[in-house]
Structure formats: structure tokens, C-alpha cells
Amino acid sequence: HHWWGDWVTCTTAEEMWINEGLASYSERLFLEWVYGYADYMTEMRTNHYDVLHLAHINDNGYYSLNAVPVQYTYGDHSYNKGSDVMHTLRGYLGDANFFTALKAVQTQFGGGNVSSIEFMQAMNTVSGVDVTDFFNAWIFQPGFANFSVSNFTVTPSSGNYNVQIVVDQKLKGGADYHNNVPLQITFMDANWNEQTEQIVLSSSYQVFNFTLPINPIFVGVNLNEKINDATTAMDETITSTGTLLWNYANVRFGIDAIVDSAFVRIEHNWVYSDVVGVPDDIQISMERYWNVHGVDLDNITGTLRFEFNGKTVSSGYRDNA
């Protein structure tokens, strides 16, 4: 709180994310500075999961961070989601612009109060930084967006490959689609050669075209986890048998046999799926679905168990309605 809450203080109690969210995020920055980025990300993932899972339960609703009801001033939104979205802002801007912009807020409002709008305007005065779309999406409206690659096609072309992908955006607890979201796309071919590209997403779905030197059989979005969207995913190169408890993705992965190795990614999407032709006796969740993909999945024999608990206890609240 030396910097956030003491030196720079929120103007109203409804904007307590400026005090508590940034102070909580500063704790994670301390971990990164002292122990390294891996420890920072471990803590960020734990917090991100808790926000997606329970913030709207514990605070009795989804709220814009600049307008949290007074009775929840010191709730999950102010502390945990406030910290969570700061990681995403860092992903939008990159480290240099992110820390420069935060210092600009400190310089302008040190020893006084700042509102969410003034916070945004101060960051926008820094050359090369415009955070308006970020604030509109992550601060001034409730909920989260979810980003996924719904399909892709590959066409050989003069020794290269023309790849077309469709990226979908869904909303969890929000009303408006996010605009100008920077995302990393990862491609991998059958020989595990990898290439990454950058996109900017600005609609409910968007088509992107690339010309690549590799023929991808796997396409993933946000594998670098720079954007804390409504997804908790895990991936790993599997080389041996055993049981993996991928709690972050709510998956228990039992590997009975494996030939050589396989790359596996499992995404727990905290939003509804796109489904058609569902039998009448099947009910589809409107709050989550899982996606399993990777490279050389045929090398694995085993089982996947998707952990689900709808009870109204701290470990539950999944589709409890």
C-alpha cells in the first residue's frame, strides 16, 4: 500500500480496485522480482481461477470495477479481479509501456486521489499508449471475455502454407464485446515445429490469414497467458505414464500407456459452447465446456475425468442453478 492506497488513493469507495487491486498486484510483482516469473505466474493463475470461479458468487453478482456496490467494496472484485486485470493490462501494453504508464499515474496523482477515468486519461498521456479500449472492456463493464480458435484451414502454396483461422469471442457476465485485444496465436506442425503470430481481435468472431513455412495441425490462442480471459488451460509434453492432476483446468488425466511422446493442451472455457443437434434428453451447460487438442494424441492411451461440482460449497458452484 505504499504506492496504491497511501500515495495514490481511489476517489470513491466504489473504485476500491485502485487501492486494493493494485496493492494485491504489487504483491505478485514482488514475487516476480525476488523469485522469478514462474512464481509470479503460479500466483496469478491461482488468483485468476478464484476470480472466474467465485468472485460473482462471493460478491453476489458481476460488477464493473469502477462501480462495485459499497457493501462489496472490500470483496473479491476489488482485490482479486483488480489484480487479475492488471496482469491483462500488462499483456496489452508490454512491460516497458505498462510500467511507464503506471509511473505516470503515480507522478500526476501522488499524494492525492484518482478516479478510474482519471487513471485511464493519465495513462493515455504517455507516448505510444492508448488504454481506452482496455478500460472500456475490463474496468468499465463487468465480467470477462473468452477467446478461442473455432476452426482453421490449411492450403499449400509455393512451398509455404496459407492458413486461415477463425477466432471466437464469448462473454462471461459482460454485455459488450472487447475491442482491440492483442492475442498470440501458436501454430505447431506434425514434427513439433512451432511458430507464433500476433493478432488483434475486435469482434465476436474474426477471420485471420497467415502464410507460414510450416503445415500446422495444432492452433492455439493465448498460450503465453498474457491475457486473463475466461479460460483456465494447461498444456504439457507427455513422455511417461501416470496420473496428472490438472486442477487449473479441472481435469484428472490418467495415462495408462504412451508411445514416444505427445503434446496435450486442455482448455476449461468458462462460457457456453456452440452446439447443434443435441438430443432432447441431453442438457448442455451454458457456463462451461472443455477443449482437448494437441500433437500426436494417438500416442496416448488413458482416461480423462472432467471435475465438476455443482454443490453450493466453496469447491462447487459450477452450474449450480
Side-chain angles (χ1 to χ4, degrees):
H1 274 301
H2 179 86
W3 298 280
W4 305 107
D6 294 348
W7 180 236
V8 175
T9 306
C10 61
T11 300
T12 65
E14 290 84 353
E15 300 174 297
M16 192 60 67
W17 74 273
I18 295 172
N19 286 22
E20 306 301 349
L22 279 157
S24 296
Y25 184 70
S26 296
E27 296 176 19
R28 277 98 199 193
L29 290 179
F30 166 82
L31 290 176
E32 178 181 359
W33 185 260
V34 177
Y35 300 109
Y37 190 74
D39 281 56
Y40 162 87
M41 282 304 301
T42 296
E43 184 69 15
M44 286 306 307
R45 289 188 187 103
T46 299
N47 182 67
H48 182 54
Y49 184 97
D50 288 345
V51 171
L52 291 176
H53 183 195
L54 292 173
H56 61 291
I57 300 294
N58 293 338
D59 290 353
N60 199 32
Y62 295 94
Y63 308 116
S64 303
L65 285 182
N66 68 316
V68 175
V70 172
Q71 62 266 41
Y72 301 113
T73 291
Y74 294 100
D76 284 14
H77 279 75
S78 297
Y79 283 83
N80 299 339
K81 189 181 179 185
S83 174
D84 194 62
V85 300
M86 283 299 100
H87 173 79
T88 296
L89 178 57
R90 184 178 177 181
Y92 266 61
L93 300 180
D95 281 11
N97 284 335
F98 175 69
F99 289 110
T100 297
L102 288 183
K103 289 176 182 177
V105 176
Q106 291 278 310
T107 298
Q108 183 171 345
F109 295 98
N113 300 331
V114 62
S115 70
S116 298
I117 291 177
E118 290 170 332
F119 197 112
M120 178 188 73
Q121 292 170 340
M123 296 191 83
N124 280 340
T125 63
V126 181
S127 177
V129 177
D130 189 336
V131 297
T132 303
D133 286 328
F134 168 85
F135 269 74
N136 286 337
W138 302 93
I139 305 296
F140 298 148
Q141 77 158 339
F144 286 84
N146 166 273
F147 310 107
S148 64
V149 176
S150 59
N151 62 75
F152 68 95
T153 58
V154 181
T155 305
S157 176
S158 303
N160 291 315
Y161 299 89
N162 293 330
V163 183
Q164 184 177 91
I165 70 171
V166 179
V167 181
D168 289 345
Q169 177 182 175
K170 294 186 175 73
L171 299 175
K172 173 182 170 65
D176 298 318
Y177 290 110
H178 295 200
N179 190 46
N180 285 324
V181 183
L183 294 167
Q184 183 190 79
I185 303 296
T186 301
F187 302 91
M188 191 180 297
D189 68 11
N191 295 316
W192 298 46
N193 297 307
E194 188 176 310
Q195 181 160 331
T196 61
E197 300 286 341
Q198 302 295 322
I199 65 169
V200 177
L201 184 69
S202 295
S203 63
S204 60
Y205 76 95
Q206 202 166 334
V207 177
F208 298 91
N209 292 283
F210 306 90
T211 299
L212 305 177
I214 65 172
N215 180 10
I217 62 172
F218 166 89
V219 182
V221 61
N222 196 40
L223 267 65
N224 61 353
E225 298 183 73
K226 297 293 186 181
I227 305 299
N228 275 345
D229 70 332
T231 308
T232 51
M234 295 193 69
D235 53 64
E236 189 173 320
T237 299
I238 309 299
T239 59
S240 61
T241 60
T243 300
L244 298 175
L245 300 178
W246 284 3
N247 295 328
Y248 188 60
N250 289 100
V251 169
R252 180 185 177 96
F253 192 178
I255 305 156
D256 299 327
I258 184 166
V259 178
D260 195 5
S261 58
F263 171 74
V264 182
R265 178 171 173 83
I266 301 179
E267 296 151 350
H268 179 185
N269 298 276
W270 298 70
V271 292
Y272 60 92
S273 63
D274 292 320
V275 292
V276 294
V278 179
D280 292 338
D281 58 345
I282 299 295
Q283 183 175 353
I284 298 299
S285 169
M286 295 305 292
E287 296 187 34
R288 73 199 67 256
Y289 71 94
W290 283 264
N291 185 35
V292 182
H293 55 152
V295 180
D296 290 329
L297 299 185
D298 290 344
N299 288 349
I300 297 177
T301 301
T303 58
L304 289 173
R305 186 172 76 184
F306 301 95
E307 301 285 357
F308 187 91
N309 182 345
K311 295 180 179 180
T312 52
V313 296
S314 60
S315 60
Y317 287 111
R318 297 191 179 92
D319 299 297
N320 61 290

